Amino acid sequence: MGGVSRIVVFGKALNAAGCVLVGGHTTEGDALALGFSVTGSAKEGALMTKGGLSPGQLLILTKPIGTGVLMEESILKGRGSSSNAQAAEILMSHGCKGCTDVTGFGLVGHLVEMARPSKVHIELDLDEVPLLEGAAELVVERDAISSLHASNARAASAISNFVELKNDPRWPLLVDPQTGGGLLAGVDPSQAEACIKEQIKLDRRLQQ
Protein backbone atom coordinates (compact mmCIF):
# COMPACT_ATOMS: atom_id res chain seq x y z
CA MET A 1 0.00 0.00 0.00
CA GLY A 2 1.44 3.38 -1.03
CA GLY A 3 1.83 6.41 1.21
CA VAL A 4 -1.20 8.28 -0.11
CA SER A 5 -3.38 5.17 0.19
CA ARG A 6 -2.31 4.72 3.79
CA ILE A 7 -3.21 8.31 4.61
CA VAL A 8 -6.66 7.77 3.10
CA VAL A 9 -7.11 4.66 5.27
CA PHE A 10 -6.13 6.62 8.39
CA GLY A 11 -8.57 9.36 7.41
CA LYS A 12 -11.41 6.87 7.06
CA ALA A 13 -10.58 5.40 10.47
CA LEU A 14 -10.73 8.85 12.07
CA ASN A 15 -14.06 9.58 10.40
CA ALA A 16 -15.48 6.26 11.60
CA ALA A 17 -14.46 7.16 15.16
CA GLY A 18 -16.15 10.55 14.93
CA CYS A 19 -12.84 12.44 15.05
CA VAL A 20 -12.02 15.67 13.24
CA LEU A 21 -8.40 16.11 12.19
CA VAL A 22 -7.21 19.66 12.88
CA GLY A 23 -3.76 21.20 12.87
CA GLY A 24 -0.52 19.28 12.78
CA HIS A 25 3.06 19.54 11.63
CA THR A 26 5.39 17.77 9.22
CA THR A 27 8.55 15.78 9.85
CA GLU A 28 10.98 14.10 7.45
CA GLY A 29 12.12 10.49 7.57
CA ASP A 30 12.87 7.36 5.58
CA ALA A 31 9.39 5.88 6.16
CA LEU A 32 5.85 7.16 6.44
CA ALA A 33 4.91 7.80 10.06
CA LEU A 34 1.72 9.29 11.44
CA GLY A 35 1.02 10.12 15.07
CA PHE A 36 -2.10 11.55 16.66
CA SER A 37 -3.02 13.24 19.91
CA VAL A 38 -6.72 12.91 20.67
CA THR A 39 -8.77 15.14 22.95
CA GLY A 40 -12.46 15.03 23.63
CA SER A 41 -15.25 15.61 26.11
CA ALA A 42 -17.88 13.48 27.80
CA LYS A 43 -20.94 14.00 29.93
CA GLU A 44 -20.48 13.78 33.67
CA GLY A 45 -20.88 10.18 34.84
CA ALA A 46 -20.43 8.81 31.31
CA LEU A 47 -16.77 7.86 31.65
CA MET A 48 -15.24 4.49 32.44
CA THR A 49 -12.02 4.93 34.43
CA LYS A 50 -9.11 2.83 35.68
CA GLY A 51 -10.27 3.41 39.25
CA GLY A 52 -13.83 2.26 38.64
CA LEU A 53 -13.60 -1.41 39.66
CA SER A 54 -15.70 -2.66 42.60
CA PRO A 55 -15.20 -5.70 44.87
CA GLY A 56 -16.91 -8.85 43.61
CA GLN A 57 -16.97 -7.85 39.95
CA LEU A 58 -15.99 -10.18 37.14
CA LEU A 59 -13.36 -9.14 34.60
CA ILE A 60 -14.11 -9.08 30.89
CA LEU A 61 -11.44 -8.95 28.17
CA THR A 62 -12.81 -8.06 24.75
CA LYS A 63 -9.91 -9.34 22.60
CA PRO A 64 -7.54 -12.32 23.00
CA ILE A 65 -3.94 -11.68 24.03
CA GLY A 66 -0.67 -12.94 22.57
CA THR A 67 0.33 -10.39 19.94
CA GLY A 68 3.69 -9.71 21.61
CA VAL A 69 5.01 -13.25 21.42
CA LEU A 70 3.55 -13.78 17.95
CA MET A 71 5.25 -10.62 16.68
CA GLU A 72 8.50 -11.64 18.37
CA GLU A 73 8.39 -14.87 16.35
CA SER A 74 7.31 -12.98 13.21
CA ILE A 75 4.22 -15.11 12.67
CA LEU A 76 1.44 -12.66 13.41
CA LYS A 77 -0.57 -12.69 10.20
CA GLY A 78 -3.92 -11.53 8.98
CA ARG A 79 -5.05 -9.86 12.18
CA GLY A 80 -6.45 -6.37 11.80
CA SER A 81 -6.86 -4.00 14.71
CA SER A 82 -10.53 -3.10 15.03
CA SER A 83 -11.79 -0.14 17.01
CA ASN A 84 -12.82 -0.71 20.63
CA ALA A 85 -15.66 1.82 20.37
CA GLN A 86 -18.52 -0.67 19.96
CA ALA A 87 -17.13 -2.92 22.68
CA ALA A 88 -17.01 0.09 25.01
CA GLU A 89 -20.65 0.89 24.29
CA ILE A 90 -21.65 -2.66 25.20
CA LEU A 91 -19.72 -2.46 28.47
CA MET A 92 -21.34 0.84 29.41
CA SER A 93 -24.79 -0.53 28.64
CA HIS A 94 -24.15 -3.19 31.29
CA GLY A 95 -23.17 -0.72 33.98
CA CYS A 96 -19.39 -0.84 33.63
CA LYS A 97 -17.53 1.95 35.44
CA GLY A 98 -13.99 0.54 35.45
CA CYS A 99 -12.18 -0.03 32.15
CA THR A 100 -8.87 0.39 30.34
CA ASP A 101 -7.28 -0.84 27.13
CA VAL A 102 -4.62 -3.56 27.17
CA THR A 103 -1.45 -2.43 25.41
CA GLY A 104 2.29 -2.44 26.13
CA PHE A 105 2.19 -3.32 29.84
CA GLY A 106 0.31 -6.56 29.15
CA LEU A 107 -2.79 -7.86 30.89
CA VAL A 108 -1.26 -7.96 34.36
CA GLY A 109 0.35 -4.54 34.09
CA HIS A 110 -2.91 -2.89 33.17
CA LEU A 111 -4.78 -4.85 35.84
CA VAL A 112 -2.41 -3.40 38.43
CA GLU A 113 -3.12 0.08 37.07
CA MET A 114 -6.80 -0.58 37.78
CA ALA A 115 -6.50 -2.46 41.07
CA ARG A 116 -4.51 0.20 42.92
CA PRO A 117 -6.80 3.22 42.38
CA SER A 118 -9.88 0.98 42.77
CA LYS A 119 -8.47 -0.43 46.04
CA VAL A 120 -9.33 -4.02 45.12
CA HIS A 121 -7.42 -7.31 44.94
CA ILE A 122 -7.33 -9.26 41.68
CA GLU A 123 -7.44 -13.02 41.12
CA LEU A 124 -7.01 -14.53 37.66
CA ASP A 125 -8.00 -17.85 36.13
CA LEU A 126 -5.65 -18.43 33.19
CA ASP A 127 -8.03 -20.99 31.67
CA GLU A 128 -10.57 -18.18 31.24
CA VAL A 129 -8.19 -15.73 29.55
CA PRO A 130 -8.72 -15.68 25.75
CA LEU A 131 -5.50 -16.36 23.82
CA LEU A 132 -4.65 -15.85 20.17
CA GLU A 133 -4.21 -19.03 18.16
CA GLY A 134 -0.68 -20.34 18.41
CA ALA A 135 0.43 -18.08 21.27
CA ALA A 136 0.25 -20.72 24.01
CA GLU A 137 2.14 -23.25 21.89
CA LEU A 138 4.97 -20.78 21.29
CA VAL A 139 5.34 -20.07 24.99
CA VAL A 140 5.02 -23.68 26.17
CA GLU A 141 6.90 -25.52 23.43
CA ARG A 142 9.51 -22.95 22.34
CA ASP A 143 9.86 -20.85 25.51
CA ALA A 144 9.12 -17.82 23.35
CA ILE A 145 8.67 -14.51 25.15
CA SER A 146 8.53 -10.91 24.02
CA SER A 147 11.36 -8.43 24.53
CA LEU A 148 9.27 -6.58 27.17
CA HIS A 149 8.57 -9.71 29.22
CA ALA A 150 11.04 -8.98 32.03
CA SER A 151 9.95 -5.40 32.69
CA ASN A 152 6.24 -6.24 32.51
CA ALA A 153 6.64 -9.21 34.85
CA ARG A 154 7.71 -6.91 37.70
CA ALA A 155 4.07 -5.94 38.24
CA ALA A 156 2.89 -9.54 38.51
CA SER A 157 3.26 -9.75 42.31
CA ALA A 158 0.24 -7.45 42.65
CA ILE A 159 -2.04 -10.29 41.49
CA SER A 160 -3.26 -12.19 44.57
CA ASN A 161 -2.82 -15.70 43.15
CA PHE A 162 0.21 -15.06 40.96
CA VAL A 163 2.40 -17.65 42.72
CA GLU A 164 -0.17 -20.26 41.70
CA LEU A 165 -0.40 -18.87 38.17
CA LYS A 166 3.36 -19.23 37.66
CA ASN A 167 2.93 -23.01 37.90
CA ASP A 168 1.17 -22.80 34.54
CA PRO A 169 3.67 -22.73 31.64
CA ARG A 170 1.40 -20.29 29.82
CA TRP A 171 1.82 -17.57 32.47
CA PRO A 172 4.22 -15.40 30.38
CA LEU A 173 1.24 -14.48 28.22
CA LEU A 174 -0.21 -12.58 31.17
CA VAL A 175 2.62 -10.04 30.84
CA ASP A 176 2.81 -10.16 27.04
CA PRO A 177 2.69 -6.62 25.55
CA GLN A 178 -0.22 -6.13 23.20
CA THR A 179 -0.58 -4.24 19.94
CA GLY A 180 -4.14 -3.22 19.09
CA GLY A 181 -5.35 -4.85 22.31
CA GLY A 182 -8.90 -5.00 23.57
CA LEU A 183 -10.63 -3.55 26.60
CA LEU A 184 -10.32 -4.86 30.13
CA ALA A 185 -13.32 -4.10 32.29
CA GLY A 186 -15.15 -5.00 35.47
CA VAL A 187 -18.83 -5.93 35.35
CA ASP A 188 -21.20 -6.99 38.10
CA PRO A 189 -21.89 -10.77 38.10
CA SER A 190 -25.58 -10.18 37.31
CA GLN A 191 -24.59 -8.41 34.07
CA ALA A 192 -21.57 -10.46 33.02
CA GLU A 193 -23.23 -13.26 31.03
CA ALA A 194 -25.39 -10.93 28.94
CA CYS A 195 -22.42 -8.60 28.37
CA ILE A 196 -20.20 -11.46 27.18
CA LYS A 197 -22.88 -12.72 24.78
CA GLU A 198 -23.13 -9.28 23.19
CA GLN A 199 -19.35 -9.03 22.92
CA ILE A 200 -19.22 -12.42 21.18
CA LYS A 201 -21.88 -11.31 18.68
CA LEU A 202 -19.92 -8.13 18.01
CA ASP A 203 -16.69 -10.06 17.47
CA ARG A 204 -18.41 -12.34 14.95
CA ARG A 205 -19.70 -9.33 13.01
CA LEU A 206 -16.27 -7.72 12.95
CA GLN A 207 -14.68 -10.96 11.68
CA GLN A 208 -17.03 -11.17 8.69
Side-chain angles (χ1 to χ4, degrees):
M1 183 183 295
V4 174
S5 297
R6 291 182 180 180
I7 293 174
V8 171
V9 170
F10 285 127
K12 289 181 178 179
L14 290 172
N15 291 336
C19 294
V20 177
L21 182 62
V22 294
H25 62 273
T26 303
T27 61
E28 294 184 1
D30 295 331
L32 174 67
L34 293 175
F36 302 97
S37 176
V38 181
T39 60
S41 61
K43 295 181 180 179
E44 186 175 355
L47 289 175
M48 297 183 290
T49 68
K50 291 181 179 180
L53 294 180
S54 298
Q57 286 187 324
L58 299 178
L59 295 171
I60 291 178
L61 183 61
T62 64
K63 292 180 184 178
I65 60 175
T67 61
V69 69
L70 290 173
M71 291 177 69
E72 193 74 16
E73 296 295 308
S74 301
I75 61 172
L76 183 62
K77 300 177 181 179
R79 182 178 182 268
S81 178
S82 59
S83 169
N84 287 321
Q86 294 180 73
E89 291 175 359
I90 292 174
L91 290 168
M92 293 191 70
S93 72
H94 289 279
C96 176
K97 297 296 183 182
C99 182
T100 190
D101 59 333
V102 180
T103 52
F105 294 140
L107 178 62
V108 165
H110 290 289
L111 268 176
V112 171
E113 287 186 330
M114 299 181 75
R116 288 173 178 166
S118 301
K119 298 180 180 179
V120 298
H121 296 287
I122 303 291
E123 288 190 6
L124 289 178
D125 182 347
L126 189 46
D127 288 331
E128 297 297 327
V129 177
L131 306 175
L132 285 170
E133 183 179 355
E137 289 77 5
L138 284 172
V139 170
V140 174
E141 298 173 8
R142 300 191 197 176
D143 293 323
I145 57 174
S146 75
S147 58
L148 293 177
H149 170 90
S151 58
N152 285 352
R154 295 188 189 121
S157 59
I159 304 301
S160 299
N161 63 328
F162 194 72
V163 173
E164 175 187 339
L165 290 171
K166 287 195 72 172
N167 292 325
D168 191 313
R170 299 170 297 172
W171 81 265
L173 290 168
L174 297 176
V175 296
D176 189 57
Q178 300 304 291
T179 298
L183 299 177
L184 174 64
V187 175
D188 291 340
S190 61
Q191 295 288 323
E193 184 176 357
C195 183
I196 291 172
K197 286 182 178 179
E198 286 192 46
Q199 295 287 356
I200 291 174
K201 289 180 180 178
L202 171 63
D203 186 61
R204 288 173 177 169
R205 291 199 303 271
L206 293 175
Q207 296 299 322
Q208 292 177 351

